[in-house]
Amino acid sequence: MRVLVIGAGATGGLFGARLIQAGRDVTFLVRPNRAKALHERGLRITGCGEDTVFAPKLLVTGEVRERFDIVLVTVKATGLDQAIEDFAPAVGPTTLVLPFLNGMRHLDTLDKRFGADRVLGGVARVLTTIDTNGDILRVGDMEGMAYGARAGTAPVALDELNETLSTAFPEALSKDIDGDMWAKWMFIASLGAMTCLMRATVGEIVAVPGGEQLATALIDECASIATAAGHPLSEQGLANARAMATQQGSPGVTSMQRDLLAGHPTEVEHLLGDLTARAQQFEVAVPLLDLATMHLRVHENRVASR
């Protein structure tokens, strides 16, 4: 199956590279500036003892004229609408769309455009960033994905998709991708709210009185929403989330916090706004999440006014 990866950033670049290494037919759809950098430097993965370079097949936005079997969507939520317009010509009658965005809001957008049976659920589990050279920097050993059919959908060619992706990501096909997505969303939302409110790393927050209590309270608020939505987090999942959010000396931050500190737009509506709206619908009190959402909305208004 032919794979089109939307974007060649920290997540899409890594996933595409691993599929190339597994012998799969992969093309990246990128913007002109990114295409220029990749032509000049290659798709390079560094960190954790690795320094690998690929000469990837590229399409520049506006150049898509052919259909692909699988489309991996690895953009931020703020860029989803434009990305859909960019890759829509690549989606044929049997194409499967596999997004790796956090939260759930993007699924409604993709379902409306392509149909729910064409859109899978996906979770990225990577520790990567883009360094100053534009290379993909691995900052930890975590590297994987989960994907599968969402409840109430019947995607075609799921077996063929799994055969293609499993060569690089074995045992990634999930029996409960909805639950996996909720678990990832709750962790990212709690950690994002915590680091954005304090504008600090996990280690800096838990080093002061009340920091650890803030972290666990935010996790509990998120868990209460997931439970009300019918996707309760497992005890082990909760324990893991609390351990990571309260780890002494941890340099952990989130992409939302990095965007906030850099003065860029954030994914607040996708990650927190949607979540607090669901909490209101379920009549679940989440005062800390409400506060973090308001804090980031003030930031968004400042960015928009510039």
Side-chain angles (χ1 to χ4, degrees):
M1 301 181 82
R2 300 181 65 222
V3 180
L4 181 66
V5 181
I6 313 305
T11 299
L14 181 70
F15 283 172
R18 296 307 186 222
L19 287 167
I20 292 171
Q21 286 179 313
R24 296 307 183 180
D25 184 352
V26 178
T27 301
F28 295 90
L29 178 62
V30 294
R31 302 210 171 280
N33 286 345
R34 184 61 171 155
K36 182 175 182 293
L38 290 170
H39 279 306
E40 292 175 350
R41 189 170 177 80
L43 179 65
R44 184 182 297 267
I45 300 174
T46 65
C48 297
E50 181 175 2
D51 189 2
T52 310
V53 184
F54 302 87
K57 292 197 293 186
L58 302 176
L59 282 174
V60 176
T61 51
E63 293 183 350
V64 179
R65 301 288 185 272
E66 53 192 322
R67 304 290 177 80
F68 287 78
D69 302 299
I70 306 170
V71 176
L72 303 187
V73 186
T74 62
V75 299
K76 285 190 174 183
T78 51
L80 178 61
D81 289 341
Q82 183 58 56
I84 288 173
E85 297 306 316
D86 293 337
F87 74 74
V91 179
T94 60
T95 303
L96 288 177
V97 178
L98 175 49
F100 289 104
L101 287 75
N102 293 316
M104 299 287 190
R105 197 177 187 182
H106 60 283
L107 296 173
D108 292 336
T109 303
L110 291 166
D111 287 353
K112 184 177 180 180
R113 182 64 179 267
F114 303 110
D117 286 342
R118 308 278 292 285
V119 180
L120 301 176
V123 172
R125 295 169 177 152
V126 296
L127 292 172
T128 53
T129 188
I130 297 293
D131 67 15
T132 55
N133 294 318
D135 299 333
I136 299 167
L137 175 64
R138 296 175 62 210
V139 296
D141 291 328
M142 182 186 298
E143 184 178 309
M145 64 167 70
Y147 55 83
R150 295 178 290 132
T153 67
V156 298
L158 182 58
D159 289 342
E160 290 87 343
L161 176 141
N162 184 50
E163 183 180 347
T164 297
L165 299 186
S166 64
T167 54
F169 301 99
E171 300 182 6
L173 182 62
S174 172
K175 295 180 180 178
D176 181 21
I177 193 62
D178 300 85
D180 293 339
M181 293 178 69
W182 269 96
K184 173 75 179 291
W185 187 12
M186 296 307 97
F187 176 68
I188 292 295
S190 58
L191 202 66
M194 166 185 170
T195 56
C196 286
L197 276 175
M198 297 294 102
R199 299 185 178 227
T201 66
V202 169
E204 290 170 333
I205 295 167
V206 300
V208 301
E212 186 171 325
Q213 289 82 353
L214 172 67
T216 55
L218 278 164
I219 289 170
D220 289 345
E221 285 190 3
C222 288
S224 68
I225 302 171
T227 298
H231 297 280
L233 307 185
S234 68
E235 286 301 318
Q236 187 60 57
L238 278 171
N240 291 343
R242 291 186 180 117
M244 291 183 70
T246 59
Q247 183 180 353
Q248 295 290 333
S250 169
V253 294
T254 62
S255 60
M256 192 158 59
Q257 190 240 34
R258 287 193 291 267
D259 288 337
L260 171 68
L261 295 183
H264 297 155
T266 71
E267 295 182 298
V268 57
E269 295 304 334
H270 195 77
L271 290 179
L272 299 186
D274 187 25
L275 194 57
T276 54
R278 293 175 193 247
Q280 187 174 19
Q281 175 188 348
F282 299 135
E283 299 183 345
V284 175
V286 287
L288 290 172
L289 283 172
D290 286 336
L291 179 62
T293 304
M294 181 170 62
H295 177 65
L296 284 161
R297 283 173 172 163
V298 171
H299 165 76
E300 296 299 314
N301 285 344
R302 286 176 176 169
V303 172
S305 69
R306 290 202 295 265

